[in-house]
Amino acid sequence: MTTENNRHYKALELDKILEMLSGFCSCEDSKYEAVRIEPQTEIRDAQRLLDETESAYILLAKFGGPSFGSLKNVNNSLARAAAGGVLSIRELMTICEDLRVIRSLYEWRHRQSGVDTGIDTKFSALRPNKYFEDKINTAVLNEDELSDNASPALAEIRRKIRRQSSSVREKLDSITRSSAYQKYLQDAIVTQRNGRFVVPVKNEYRNEIPGLVHDTSASGATVFIEPMSVVEANNEIRVLQGKEQDEIERILAELSAQAGEFENEIKYSYEIACELNLIFAKAQLAYKMKASVPILNNNGIIDIKSARHPLLDKNKVVPVDIRLGGDFDSLVITGPNTGGKTVSIKTLGLITLMAMCGLMIPASDNSKICVFKNVFADIGDEQSIEQSLSTFSSHMVNIVDISKHADSSSLILIDELGAGTDPVEGAALAISILEDLRAKGAKIAATTHYAELKAYALQTDRVENGSCEFDVATLRPTYRLLIGVPGRSNAFAISEKLGISPSVIEKAKEMVSGENIRFEDVIDSLESRRAEMEKAKSEAEELRRQNEELKKKAETRLEDIEEMRRKEFDKARSDAMRLVENARREANSLMFEVDKLKKELKNGGRNAEFVQKAKSQIKKSMAGVDSAVNPVTESADDGYVLSRPIKVGDTVKLAGMNSEATVLSLADKNGEMEVQSGIMKLRVKADRLRLVEKPKQKTRSDVKRVGESRVNADVSTRCDLRGMTSEEAIMTLDSFIDSMVMAGLKEFTIIHGKGTGVLRSAVQQHLKRHPQIKSYRLGTFGEGENGVTIAETK
């Protein structure tokens, strides 16, 4: 049974939702399929449809929707072409438009990279046919005419027709301009009759211009004559026009035959395009409703959060939370008329059907929907005059039918259960019906006015009360659904607010049984307590929200301060390093000048001594600059305690920095130690040093020398050549390499400084030729960069 014919679906207004969906479809076939969508009763099918909708929803959000243009069904035309028929120009243009849409869809998806979706297989299944599309575009000019480019033969025929027509017009123009003929002509124009060029001649002069008469005016005053001088030329034009028509028929037949060859391919791609059109229509409907993707299950669990009826004004509708199938299987909703009871169960049923159709639902995220085999609804006044059925009878007929088909995979929605008859009998019947349906395992939501059903729900396991809130102070319903709270009739309170005499109200209360009064008082007490708890909860939520905001602001402020502090520290470090680099560059330049001066000096006595003293002074100044500007630490007060006293040669870390250094001298009277980190020598406070305990490496301390002697292999792996000339540096380096080889050490560091690069170049040229050197490279960040060279022995 289709949605159109299922009265339960129509009672829940699913047909109106599907009609809204069809409005977002571009092609007629998609619109047709939209209104005929059936709710899926298998969870895997419903989930597949829902996944497709979510995929389109994601693509819409990221890239916008693709264009489906004016997609039309061309199956009949293709079938006729496949059978050997010749298609019209209009039919070919429609096929061409479909091919354009199919190609644009395929290209659109392949342009959007980086997102994989569940409908990518549908896009990939499209079969663009650019060849046939271009061929039709080239051949067709408009709906009534082929282009000259359709074939070379057609272009040649039309060129001859234009040339011949021009020749005829020239001859006729000469007649119309001739003074000898002007008095015979009605107008000095050239026109056509029956596809032949003629001139309008006055009837009384028809014999003055020899030729063939093709037509006469309505008044008879004018005859249209084809002069004998152009008869042959007009005949030639008619022959060419016949050839033109034959060529057009041939071209159309050729294009039609090709369309027939591509019949299956085009039909298949068209069907895929229609499916995609419907899927994207679902996504667009979801955007309009501000819908979300529900979590489907087949365990009978429904938990819809902030559900909104999709057919009500979204600016006025009150969201409701609806639960069923978890703690309870039956929900009995009570409350005054126009309070929202019917809307609540219709919202429950409609949203369930929407999810089963693969539609996203107008509710909050993480709402849960069960996929049912059957959804039954008895809602509204279905009084039938034709069948002589009262309101009560028509409801009973529906309930009888529902009861026959109900099972454990059914959702049953009943409005005003047991209404329309004697209240006592109606209440008893309502309870009995609920018991019967519950025994079959169905999930039930029913509305009622009977107090007996409130008591039944309170006393029966897995049956829960629900009510639609009513504000007695304003005499208006709030439309909120409250689960777990039975509704009050509020008849006395409403009547009193409307002006009924208090004496009348009191007399009416006396007529109500004591049990009913006590029951209503209990409900009133529960309602008051619930309202107080909700108010307290709301206030607590507001406080929590404010605290969260304050916490976020504090965290953001703390992050800003930390970021500002870090930037300032980085800036200070950068400035300090720049200052050190400038000082070093100037010092290296000065040492270069001193070396140059030394070479120029003839004698090396006191002058050489003076030069060496100047070099020492410069190096001492550089160490002082390094010590003054290098940012050793941000803070050393971290409670660190040395495991043993520091001694010369120990490896240490500088507090607040990740770099390691070697101790060169113990603490002086100011408590400062001299350390070397990379190529920089620093003086730092002893409490800023952190001892690095490294495991002892196995060394070859006993290496054979001449005469079987042995030497200690505890050799420094750093060779400092700064301040030396190239010749001095090479000699020192050779000696250092020998000690490395004898100690069995593989890697060592040569400190030559940055300077002008002369010493670095000399060192690396020597290493390149040295027989004991396997490889060498410049230092990296933290090793000294281009101020050092790291070498490896063979």
Side-chain angles (χ1 to χ4, degrees):
M1 186 181 293
T2 65
T3 298
E4 295 172 316
N5 300 324
N6 190 310
R7 60 184 176 84
H8 300 289
Y9 297 168
K10 293 192 73 172
L12 294 170
E13 301 178 296
L14 177 62
D15 57 318
K16 294 181 180 179
I17 298 297
L18 299 182
E19 193 63 39
M20 288 175 60
L21 174 63
S22 71
F24 289 100
C25 296
S26 301
C27 65
E28 292 302 319
D29 284 357
S30 297
K31 292 177 185 287
Y32 177 77
E33 291 299 326
V35 298
R36 295 177 64 84
I37 288 178
E38 285 292 306
Q40 300 299 311
T41 57
E42 295 293 336
I43 187 170
R44 64 176 181 275
D45 296 329
Q47 189 65 59
R48 175 179 54 80
L49 295 178
L50 196 58
D51 289 344
E52 290 176 350
T53 304
E54 184 182 13
S55 297
Y57 188 87
I58 292 171
L59 291 175
L60 275 179
K62 286 185 173 291
F63 311 112
S67 172
F68 289 89
S70 53
L71 203 60
K72 292 182 180 178
N73 191 325
V74 292
N75 289 351
N76 290 337
S77 298
L78 290 171
R80 192 152 47 84
V86 177
L87 304 183
S88 67
I89 297 177
R90 178 172 302 203
E91 287 175 309
L92 289 170
M93 287 187 68
T94 304
I95 292 173
C96 182
E97 175 62 16
D98 279 4
L99 289 174
R100 185 195 65 77
V101 172
I102 291 166
R103 177 176 54 82
S104 68
L105 288 172
Y106 182 85
E107 292 175 352
W108 178 86
R109 182 63 190 102
H110 284 76
R111 283 197 304 270
Q112 324 305 338
S113 58
V115 179
D116 294 328
T117 69
I119 55 176
D120 288 348
T121 53
K122 290 188 180 294
F123 279 104
S124 299
L126 293 170
R127 293 290 177 264
N129 192 334
K130 188 76 164 55
Y131 160 75
F132 192 43
E133 178 190 347
D134 287 344
K135 190 159 187 178
I136 296 176
N137 273 327
T138 301
V140 176
L141 191 61
N142 53 50
E143 291 184 352
D144 303 314
E145 185 179 1
L146 289 184
S147 166
D148 288 356
N149 298 323
S151 76
L154 182 62
E156 177 63 20
I157 292 169
R158 286 181 173 175
R159 186 183 62 78
K160 290 180 179 180
I161 290 174
R162 286 191 292 272
R163 186 174 65 240
Q164 197 70 12
S165 297
S166 177
S167 173
V168 171
R169 291 189 68 91
E170 286 178 4
K171 291 179 180 179
L172 294 178
D173 283 342
S174 66
I175 292 175
T176 58
R177 290 194 298 269
S178 171
S179 57
Y181 290 105
Q182 279 185 355
K183 66 178 181 178
Y184 305 137
L185 301 176
Q186 193 72 264
D187 294 295
I189 61 171
V190 177
T191 185
Q192 279 189 326
R193 287 294 185 274
N194 301 323
R196 302 178 75 90
F197 289 102
V198 296
V199 292
V201 179
K202 296 176 182 178
N203 192 33
E204 58 269 27
Y205 297 116
R206 61 190 301 174
N207 295 325
E208 300 299 327
I209 298 179
L212 304 176
V213 177
H214 285 282
D215 197 8
T216 305
S217 66
S219 63
T222 305
V223 291
F224 295 93
I225 296 177
E226 177 187 4
M228 293 302 297
S229 59
V230 297
V231 169
E232 190 60 33
N234 271 332
N235 288 341
E236 182 63 24
I237 290 173
R238 293 302 295 271
V239 171
L240 290 172
Q241 287 173 342
K243 291 181 179 180
E244 177 189 27
Q245 191 58 40
D246 291 342
E247 181 62 15
I248 289 173
E249 290 294 332
R250 187 195 67 78
I251 294 169
L252 292 178
E254 180 183 321
L255 292 174
S256 299
Q258 287 188 318
E261 292 174 6
F262 297 128
E263 176 192 13
N264 293 332
E265 181 181 300
I266 297 173
K267 282 182 178 180
Y268 178 72
S269 293
Y270 171 78
E271 290 172 2
I272 297 294
C274 287
E275 290 178 17
L276 287 170
N277 187 208
L278 182 55
I279 292 170
F280 275 91
K282 291 179 180 180
Q284 289 173 325
L285 180 63
Y287 267 104
K288 181 182 178 182
M289 292 182 177
K290 297 182 179 177
S292 66
V293 180
I295 301 170
L296 300 184
N297 68 84
N298 56 1
N299 302 321
I301 305 295
I302 295 177
D303 186 3
I304 310 175
K305 302 170 183 177
S306 300
R308 307 176 302 278
H309 196 289
L311 297 177
L312 298 180
D313 187 346
K314 62 183 178 182
N315 298 317
K316 296 180 180 179
V317 64
V318 177
V320 294
D321 295 337
I322 307 174
R323 292 182 291 114
L324 187 63
D327 301 332
F328 51 91
D329 299 322
S330 300
L331 179 63
V332 178
I333 305 174
T334 53
N337 288 328
T338 70
K341 301 188 305 296
T342 304
V343 171
S344 294
I345 63 171
K346 288 182 78 171
T347 302
L348 168 60
L350 181 55
I351 284 181
T352 298
L353 290 175
M354 287 175 64
M356 291 166 63
C357 289
L359 296 171
M360 294 166 64
I361 62 173
S364 295
D365 292 336
N366 298 318
S367 293
K368 298 177 182 178
I369 298 290
C370 176
V371 177
F372 292 97
K373 299 289 185 185
N374 300 295
V375 177
F376 300 115
D378 178 41
I379 297 174
D381 185 2
E382 298 185 10
Q383 182 172 228
S384 173
I385 296 176
E386 290 182 359
Q387 299 180 19
S388 300
L389 295 176
S390 65
T391 300
F392 176 75
S393 299
S394 64
H395 280 303
M396 286 302 105
V397 169
N398 289 341
I399 289 172
V400 167
D401 182 62
I402 291 171
S403 181
K404 287 180 181 178
H405 299 93
D407 56 24
S408 60
S409 60
S410 299
L411 173 64
I412 301 174
L413 310 169
I414 304 176
D415 189 29
E416 299 294 351
L417 179 59
T421 187
D422 177 75
V424 176
E425 293 181 355
L429 186 60
I431 292 173
S432 182
I433 290 170
L434 285 178
E435 282 293 306
D436 176 63
L437 296 176
R438 287 184 62 236
K440 296 178 179 180
K443 304 297 181 288
I444 309 161
T447 69
T448 184
H449 284 287
Y450 294 139
E452 290 85 350
L453 265 71
K454 303 177 193 176
Y456 167 75
L458 287 171
Q459 298 165 2
T460 308
D461 186 38
R462 299 196 64 78
V463 179
E464 188 62 88
N465 269 304
S467 62
C468 289
E469 192 177 51
F470 189 87
D471 190 344
V472 179
T474 60
L475 298 181
R476 291 179 180 275
T478 64
Y479 300 107
R480 290 181 59 209
L481 178 63
L482 307 175
I483 294 179
V485 180
R488 299 187 62 204
S489 65
N490 295 307
F492 294 152
I494 293 172
S495 300
E496 189 173 0
K497 284 283 185 181
L498 293 174
I500 297 293
S501 171
S503 61
V504 174
I505 301 295
E506 287 301 321
K507 191 171 183 178
K509 287 182 179 179
E510 292 173 2
M511 295 179 182
V512 178
S513 69
E515 288 186 5
N516 282 343
I517 291 175
R518 284 193 298 274
F519 183 69
E520 291 293 330
D521 287 343
V522 169
I523 293 176
D524 188 33
S525 175
L526 289 172
E527 178 64 19
S528 300
R529 195 172 299 174
R530 183 199 59 79
E532 290 173 2
M533 291 177 65
E534 281 204 354
K535 183 179 179 182
K537 181 183 176 183
S538 177
E539 291 173 352
E541 285 291 329
E542 180 63 22
L543 286 174
R544 187 190 63 77
R545 187 187 62 78
Q546 292 177 2
N547 288 336
E548 286 291 332
E549 288 181 358
L550 290 173
K551 181 182 176 183
K552 286 181 181 178
K553 287 181 180 178
E555 289 175 350
T556 302
R557 179 62 178 163
L558 188 62
E559 288 174 1
D560 292 343
I561 292 172
E562 181 65 23
E563 180 69 14
M564 189 182 304
R565 187 193 65 77
R566 188 186 63 76
K567 286 182 178 179
E568 289 296 327
F569 182 77
D570 289 346
K571 182 175 182 298
R573 174 180 289 173
S574 177
D575 291 344
M577 295 301 291
R578 187 162 52 252
L579 182 59
V580 170
E581 185 63 30
N582 290 338
R584 183 180 292 109
R585 188 179 298 111
E586 292 176 5
N588 284 335
S589 177
L590 182 57
M591 284 194 291
F592 177 74
E593 292 296 330
V594 171
D595 284 337
K596 185 177 180 183
L597 178 62
K598 181 180 177 182
K599 290 178 181 179
E600 293 175 355
L601 293 174
K602 301 281 187 170
N603 46 11
R606 294 187 56 189
N607 290 328
E609 182 181 346
F610 169 76
V611 169
Q612 190 62 35
K613 189 175 181 181
K615 282 186 177 182
S616 299
Q617 185 64 32
I618 291 169
K619 293 174 74 173
K620 184 177 180 182
S621 299
M622 286 179 59
V625 172
D626 284 349
S627 178
V629 302
N630 186 62
V632 175
T633 182
E634 298 176 56
S635 174
D637 187 15
D638 56 3
Y640 176 79
V641 178
L642 288 169
S643 60
R644 62 173 176 78
I646 295 177
K647 60 184 180 180
V648 174
D650 279 344
T651 301
V652 293
K653 272 194 176 182
L654 309 180
M657 300 181 67
N658 289 326
S659 59
E660 294 185 354
T662 303
V663 178
L664 301 179
S665 67
L666 297 179
D668 58 15
K669 61 182 179 179
N670 296 322
E672 293 182 343
M673 291 186 174
E674 185 177 17
V675 299
Q676 181 167 352
S677 177
I679 63 172
M680 294 190 299
K681 293 182 179 179
L682 318 169
R683 296 199 68 81
V684 297
K685 292 287 186 182
D687 61 355
R688 295 179 182 273
L689 300 181
R690 306 290 180 263
L691 187 62
V692 177
E693 295 286 0
K694 294 188 175 180
K696 292 184 178 179
Q697 297 181 350
K698 293 183 179 179
T699 61
R700 290 158 50 190
S701 57
D702 295 327
V703 181
K704 287 187 177 181
R705 280 174 168 261
V706 178
E708 301 291 331
S709 63
R710 298 179 182 276
V711 297
N712 191 333
D714 186 14
V715 181
S716 171
T717 58
R718 290 177 176 271
C719 180
D720 192 347
L721 305 179
R722 290 177 294 179
M724 301 181 184
T725 64
S726 296
E727 293 81 5
E728 292 172 343
I730 297 304
M731 291 178 64
T732 303
L733 180 57
D734 274 337
S735 177
F736 186 83
I737 293 173
D738 289 340
S739 65
M740 290 295 101
V741 172
M742 294 183 69
L745 299 179
K746 288 294 185 182
E747 188 176 273
F748 59 93
T749 302
I750 305 165
I751 305 171
H752 44 63
K754 298 180 180 177
T756 60
V758 174
L759 185 56
R760 178 178 69 241
S761 178
V763 166
Q764 292 185 350
Q765 287 296 324
H766 185 66
L767 291 174
K768 187 175 183 180
R769 297 188 297 269
H770 200 288
Q772 296 295 339
I773 299 301
K774 179 180 180 181
S775 64
Y776 63 90
R777 60 178 175 82
L778 285 175
T780 60
F781 181 75
E783 294 179 327
E785 300 180 355
N786 59 354
V788 303
T789 295
I790 311 298
E792 184 181 357
T793 60
K794 293 182 179 178

